[in-house]
């Protein structure tokens, strides 16, 4: 089907045999694997929300019970072991497959595997990078040697130790970005509904035009603002461009 789409022949892709073959492949084989992947992604999203999105305020972390801390530890361990490592293994396999198949593209003369041209894979790559950053800043790891120290919120699997306090702001910022990427990747679930899939495709096409519209609008605003400041007038607010 990929080769047929690459031929850009509407008569070929609309042939009844191709339609029957694609329906059989999707209904009997492909749909179950795709559904399993999307279900795992949705499950990872829920675990991420439970482990990172519920108790991010410092005041809330001080009042957690031991059971809640164990629950957060299990959820975050799954995110790193079942999410980050799974993504790293995925990228290694994709790189090996592209290199063996000679699927290499050059971006600014830099040879890269072909999978990097897919927007979905780029989102997964950014998600893996964010999870690696989160793992390096993980308060649970920074507090392992000082869980029962003399500080507020001390106890089993605490995240409020002095060693982790300096990384708290950066950690929550990266966690928010990773959560946004999780939700962005969940848009791909729309493939199970033709109407939702068509709507998402139209939205992405319109989004490109919308950014171009904003760029043009920004150009006009800057042009008129600088032109007004050069005119002779009695309006103090636009008498010049502030440095």
């Amino acid at each position: 089907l990929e080769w047929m789409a690459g031929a850009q022949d509407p008569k070929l892709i609309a042939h009844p045999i191709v339609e029957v073959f694609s329906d059989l492949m999707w209904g009997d084989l492909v749909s179950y694997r795709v559904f399993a992947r999307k279900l795992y992604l949705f499950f990872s999203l829920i675990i991420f929300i439970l482990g990172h999105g519920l108790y991010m305020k410092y005041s809330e972390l001080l009042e957690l019970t031991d059971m809640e801390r164990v629950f957060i530890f299990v959820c975050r361990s799954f995110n790193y072991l079942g999410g980050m490592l799974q993504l790293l293994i995925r990228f290694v396999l994709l790189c090996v497959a592209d290199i063996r198949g000679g699927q290499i593209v050059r971006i600014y003369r830099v040879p890269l595997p072909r999978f990097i041209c897919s927007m979905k894979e780029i989102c997964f790559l950014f998600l893996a990078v964010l999870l690696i950053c989160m793992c390096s800043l993980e308060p649970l790891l920074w507090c392992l040697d000082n869980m029962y120290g003399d500080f507020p919120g001390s106890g089993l699997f605490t995240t409020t130790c002095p060693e982790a306090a300096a990384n708290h702001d950066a950690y929550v910022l990266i966690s928010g970005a990773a959560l946004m990427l999780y939700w962005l990747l969940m848009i791909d679930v729309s493939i199970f509904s033709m109407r939702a899939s068509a709507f998402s495709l139209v939205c992405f096409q319109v989004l490109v035009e919308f950014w171009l519209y904003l760029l043009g609008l920004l150009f006009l605003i800057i042009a008129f603002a600088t032109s007004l400041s050069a005119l002779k007038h009695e309006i103090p607010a636009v008498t010049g461009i502030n440095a």
Side-chain angles (χ1 to χ4, degrees), residues 2-176:
E2 183 179 357
W3 295 342
M4 294 179 182
Q8 298 182 354
D9 188 353
K11 293 183 179 180
L12 178 62
I13 202 67
H15 196 278
I17 296 179
V18 177
E19 183 179 354
V20 173
F21 174 75
S22 60
D23 289 342
L24 288 175
M25 288 291 294
W26 174 257
D28 297 338
L29 180 62
V30 179
S31 61
Y32 298 105
R33 297 181 62 182
V34 174
F35 179 76
R37 292 176 182 175
K38 301 308 175 186
L39 185 62
Y40 182 80
L41 180 62
F42 178 73
F43 180 73
S44 300
L45 171 62
I46 298 300
I47 296 298
F48 191 93
I49 294 174
L50 294 176
H52 296 84
L54 296 183
Y55 308 104
M56 296 309 297
K57 292 183 179 180
Y58 190 80
S59 59
E60 295 176 349
L61 296 175
L62 296 175
E63 301 174 357
L64 294 179
T65 63
D66 288 345
M67 289 299 297
E68 290 174 331
R69 290 172 180 170
V70 171
F71 178 75
I72 292 177
F73 172 79
V74 172
C75 291
R76 295 187 180 182
S77 299
F78 175 83
N79 287 136
Y80 297 131
L81 298 178
M84 182 183 67
L85 290 182
Q86 184 261 345
L87 288 175
L88 294 177
I89 294 173
R90 170 194 177 95
F91 290 130
V92 171
L93 295 177
L94 288 175
C95 287
V96 171
D98 285 344
I99 293 173
R100 286 183 176 179
Q103 301 293 324
I104 304 297
V105 296
R106 291 185 177 274
I107 301 178
Y108 295 105
R109 298 182 181 181
V110 178
L112 296 172
R114 190 176 183 83
F115 79 88
I116 205 68
C117 296
S118 172
M119 184 59 65
K120 182 179 70 173
E121 299 301 336
I122 292 177
C123 290
F124 275 119
L125 181 60
F126 276 113
L127 179 60
V129 172
L130 291 177
L131 288 176
I132 292 173
C133 294
M134 288 176 58
C135 186
S136 65
L137 299 175
E138 178 56 52
L140 288 169
L141 299 179
W142 284 83
C143 296
L144 282 179
D145 295 334
N146 190 22
M147 289 191 296
Y148 298 97
D150 186 14
F151 56 88
S154 62
L156 181 64
F157 296 137
T158 181
T159 58
T160 59
C161 64
E163 292 83 357
N167 302 327
H168 180 74
D169 293 339
Y171 181 79
V172 296
L173 181 63
I174 297 174
S175 300

Side-chain angles (χ1 to χ4, degrees), residues 164-228:
N167 302 327
H168 180 74
D169 293 339
Y171 181 79
V172 296
L173 181 63
I174 297 174
S175 300
L179 189 56
M180 288 295 296
L181 275 179
Y182 265 115
W183 281 111
L184 183 62
L185 290 168
M186 284 301 299
I187 297 178
D188 202 26
V189 179
S190 62
I191 61 174
F192 293 103
S193 172
M194 185 62 68
R195 186 172 183 178
S197 180
F199 176 76
S200 62
L201 287 175
V202 171
C203 287
F204 278 112
Q205 292 297 325
V206 173
L207 188 61
V208 176
E209 303 298 330
F210 178 70
W211 284 114
L212 291 176
Y213 165 77
L214 290 181
L215 183 62
L217 183 62
L218 178 63
F219 174 80
L220 291 176
I221 292 174
I222 295 176
F224 278 101
T226 53
S227 299
L228 285 174

